[in-house]
């Protein structure tokens, strides 16, 4: 290797915005530790009067008047949870709309050998392909105790996932029942 690129250069670092509060799956391996149970619901996108696209979310048991939606076919089931994203060493929110990933995590959670992934074991989601050819593979890692770096970052973190239903920022919301890290 020559000195053209810094030896720490990594395409995934460019795709994983270290300033973002939200984890996105990038090509390759995406390793994270789930730190909260997910909230679940339905999500779709709407265009505001200013032309900006914005997500709309409702709880899983709420009715949606699809006659009022721009694109009723765009409604997806979503999960949102607090995670530790290893690639950026940061607490973030991970939203999962991919049915296959949801199914794999549900299966792991119900398996007596794995159980709930919340603060128990790491998960790696490997993303390959682009567009309609995108595929995801979910692999659990052996159960381990949460490392001190994660415990320190989580301690005192206040994230109100419920704010997502109201279109608010879950990192600044003042509603009750915020996520405040595990009670070790």
């Amino acid at each position: 290797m020559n000195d053209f690129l810094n030896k720490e250069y990594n395409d995934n670092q460019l795709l994983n915005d270290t300033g973002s509060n939200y984890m996105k799956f990038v090509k390759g391996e995406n390793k994270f530790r789930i730190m909260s149970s997910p909230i679940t619901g339905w999500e779709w996108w709407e265009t505001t009067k200013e032309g900006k696209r914005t997500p709309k979310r409702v709880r899983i048991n709420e009715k949606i008047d699809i006659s009022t939606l721009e694109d009723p076919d765009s409604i997806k089931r979503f999960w949102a949870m607090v995670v530790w994203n290893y690639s950026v060493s940061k607490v973030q929110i991970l939203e999962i709309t991919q049915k296959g990933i949801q199914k794999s995590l549900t299966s792991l959670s119900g398996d007596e050998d794995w159980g709930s992934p919340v603060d128990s074991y790491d998960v790696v989601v490997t993303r390959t392909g682009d567009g309609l050819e995108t595929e995801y593979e979910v692999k659990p890692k052996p159960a381990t105790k949460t490392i001190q770096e994660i415990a320190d970052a989580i301690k005192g973190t206040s994230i109100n996932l419920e704010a997502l239903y109201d279109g608010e920022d879950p990192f600044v919301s003042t509603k009750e029942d915020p996520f405040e890290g595990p009670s070790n």
Side-chain angles (χ1 to χ4, degrees):
M1 173 147 186
N2 61 34
D3 62 359
F4 174 65
L5 291 173
N6 180 321
K7 56 184 162 183
E8 284 83 33
Y9 174 85
N10 179 330
D11 283 336
N12 284 345
Q13 288 173 332
L14 298 176
L15 295 171
N16 252 327
D17 179 4
T18 59
S20 176
N21 286 328
Y22 294 86
M23 179 179 178
K24 301 286 184 205
F25 292 127
V26 297
K27 278 190 176 180
E29 290 190 351
N30 297 269
K31 182 178 176 183
F32 56 95
R33 179 171 282 249
I34 298 171
M35 299 305 295
S36 74
S37 292
I39 63 166
T40 61
W42 300 103
E43 174 187 82
W44 65 94
W45 289 76
E46 292 183 354
T47 306
T48 65
K49 292 175 185 170
E50 299 80 28
K52 182 180 173 188
R53 300 281 294 157
T54 183
K56 299 292 181 183
R57 298 177 186 95
V58 297
R59 287 168 182 79
I60 200 73
N61 58 350
E62 289 183 47
K63 301 262 188 248
I64 303 169
D65 182 0
I66 61 171
S67 68
T68 64
L69 303 182
E70 292 173 25
D71 181 8
D73 294 332
S74 69
I75 298 172
K76 292 184 177 183
R77 181 186 314 256
F78 83 92
W79 294 2
M81 63 197 80
V82 177
V83 299
W84 174 260
N85 181 347
Y86 284 96
S87 71
V88 294
S89 299
K90 185 175 180 179
V91 176
Q92 293 180 312
I93 293 174
L94 174 60
E95 186 175 330
I96 300 174
T97 58
Q98 299 86 352
K99 290 178 185 177
I101 298 173
Q102 292 172 353
K103 185 176 178 180
S104 293
L105 291 175
T106 299
S107 179
L108 285 168
S109 179
D111 185 295
E112 68 180 49
D113 292 330
W114 287 104
S116 171
V118 177
D119 198 21
S120 299
Y121 53 88
D122 298 330
V123 176
V124 175
V125 172
T126 303
R127 177 183 165 191
T128 57
D130 289 305
L132 296 175
E133 302 298 317
T134 304
E135 293 184 3
Y136 299 93
E137 178 185 359
V138 177
K139 291 185 291 189
K141 294 296 198 179
T144 59
K145 185 174 168 44
T146 301
I147 62 173
Q148 193 61 45
E149 177 186 15
I150 298 172
D152 291 345
I154 291 291
K155 189 170 277 200
T157 296
S158 182
I159 300 172
N160 180 12
L161 292 172
E162 296 284 325
L164 292 171
Y165 294 124
D166 299 322
E168 297 174 6
D169 183 349
F171 288 88
V172 296
S173 179
T174 59
K175 292 200 176 189
E176 293 184 27
D177 290 325
F179 168 77
E180 293 181 351
S183 57
N184 292 355

